[in-house]
Amino acid sequence: IAAAASGAFAQDFPAGKPITIVVPFAAGGPTDRVARDLAEAMRKPLDGVSIVVDNTAGAGSTIGNAKVARAKNDGYTLLLTHVGMATTPVLYRKLPYNYETDFEYLGMINDVPMTVIGKPQLEANNFKELRDWIGKNSGKVNLGNAGIGSASHLCGLLLQSELKAEMTTVPYKGTAPAIADLLGGQIDLLCDQTTNTTSQIEAKKVKPYAVTTLKRLTTPALKDIPTADESGLKGFQVTIWHGLYAPKGTPPAVLKKINDALKVALKDPDFIKKEEGLGAVVVTDKRVEPAEHKKFVQAEVARFGPVIKAAGVYAD
Ligand code: MLT
């Protein structure tokens, strides 16, 4: 009877009950931005149900990830996170969850470029001057990030190893608070996703030095920013992917309903327009399929392993 009941329950999911999407970073940041825009686009295909975002930040996203791994597997608590799903298994040797066995993979959402930005008072006016300034101030440069395991942490790691520079990293619960301190001049540099930096760059409130894609971006506010590659960091590329997850054991019929709604949302012109306006690219390939999503994350874990081991940065 239980199986039948869960079958029946799964059929009329979400039955008008609100769905929570946990975002493992502070409100107002890039991960939060993607979650709120996606929630808006998924409401209609999920029978108009309300979808709320729960920002459970801390420890480079691992606190929010763990919360969903332990949540009821009924489809009403989901996780939206990014590349951190693949960096944290390498960075944290004792994680309160297993990224492969504690989650159901619901499909990927987008790829977001990053920008290297400086506080408005920074004297450097281009990447070359920035590189010289960092060299002259080695050890004294304050680089913000959203904790070990965050996208900004990963980008900062790669930047420091490319520039052979030592910077003091200042962790925040997300890059929303980090960018607030950058605007105030409390930190000097931040490597953050265009979903968070586009508006600040447009308003000329921060100094953009480079984008982390191999080709320049086409978004009007970002198209004149040189790539790190053309600025001398040959091949330097960091794009941040986002995916959707549910706790292990969520009924297959529920998973299918959510993945179907995700596919509708990714084709929603309003969602696509919002993403493109922020420099992001919506997934249009097979990574929207759960099995492909999981394979992709497993490959990313294998890719980041050596990079992080070489950097010798572990969270615990
Ligand atoms: C990150 O750096 O991982 C994210 O941008 C943090 C956030 O979404 O606030």
Side-chain angles (χ1 to χ4, degrees):
I1 291 182
S6 78
F9 138 74
Q11 282 322 315
D12 57 22
F13 175 86
K17 252 182 76 183
I19 294 170
T20 298
I21 295 182
V22 172
V23 165
F25 290 105
T31 314
D32 186 62
R33 170 80 280 132
V34 174
R36 290 175 196 279
D37 290 349
L38 184 73
E40 190 56 39
M42 285 181 78
R43 283 198 58 192
K44 222 173 21 240
L46 282 174
D47 322 326
V49 75
S50 87
I51 302 177
V52 293
V53 171
D54 159 12
N55 300 88
T56 299
S61 77
T62 55
I63 293 177
N65 298 350
K67 178 176 186 176
V68 176
R70 289 193 305 271
K72 206 151 169 288
N73 52 13
D74 56 9
Y76 291 98
T77 306
L78 306 178
L79 169 68
L80 187 150
T81 192
H82 59 23
V83 67
M85 195 59 139
T87 55
T88 50
V90 185
L91 287 160
Y92 292 76
R93 285 173 284 207
K94 287 191 304 305
L95 266 184
Y97 59 83
N98 177 308
Y99 85 97
E100 287 181 294
T101 56
D102 290 337
F103 297 97
E104 303 290 352
Y105 285 59
L106 280 166
M108 290 177 68
I109 302 160
N110 64 7
D111 294 296
V112 187
M114 299 192 89
T115 46
V116 179
I117 55 175
K119 66 185 179 185
Q121 309 87 338
L122 210 53
E123 68 227 39
N125 288 315
N126 56 47
F127 194 83
K128 189 186 168 323
E129 287 177 17
L130 175 72
R131 191 169 191 163
D132 298 345
W133 179 80
I134 291 172
K136 273 209 303 291
N137 293 278
S138 190
K140 293 203 293 285
V141 177
N142 288 321
L143 171 72
N145 68 33
I148 293 190
S150 64
S152 40
H153 166 250
L154 174 68
C155 184
L157 260 193
L158 298 173
L159 198 61
Q160 288 178 89
S161 65
E162 282 291 316
L163 294 176
K164 298 183 182 39
E166 276 299 304
M167 299 189 216
T168 305
T169 48
V170 184
Y172 293 84
K173 289 201 175 303
T175 45
I179 211 165
D181 268 10
L182 187 78
L183 295 176
Q186 277 82 2
I187 53 173
D188 303 307
L189 280 181
L190 178 65
C191 190
D192 193 13
Q193 298 175 68
T194 55
T195 32
N196 200 32
T197 60
T198 301
S199 55
Q200 305 293 355
I201 292 169
E202 223 159 21
K204 301 201 180 332
K205 286 193 179 160
V206 295
K207 284 194 154 180
Y209 291 106
V211 293
T212 64
T213 39
L214 292 180
K215 279 205 339 265
R216 287 203 181 192
L217 300 177
T218 54
T219 308
L222 308 170
K223 67 180 175 29
D224 299 329
I225 306 172
T227 65
D229 176 74
E230 74 182 83
S231 306
L233 300 189
K234 279 281 150 257
F236 189 86
Q237 177 180 359
V238 189
T239 44
I240 305 303
W241 44 266
H242 293 76
L244 203 58
Y245 307 84
K248 186 73 183 168
T250 303
V254 171
L255 296 176
K256 182 171 179 339
K257 182 105 191 232
I258 298 169
N259 179 252
D260 288 346
L262 172 64
K263 287 174 178 167
V264 170
L266 297 189
K267 292 192 172 59
D268 178 329
D270 292 342
F271 180 70
I272 293 169
K273 195 157 155 280
K274 274 183 203 164
E275 288 293 289
E276 288 176 350
L278 295 170
V281 179
V282 171
V283 160
T284 54
D285 57 36
K286 56 185 178 15
R287 289 177 296 157
V288 73
E289 298 303 338
E292 292 299 331
H293 174 191
K294 185 161 190 174
K295 261 183 0 207
F296 181 84
V297 175
Q298 289 164 325
E300 287 285 84
V301 173
R303 180 165 79 95
F304 286 124
V307 168
I308 289 169
K309 283 192 177 63
V313 174
Y314 290 101
D316 50 10

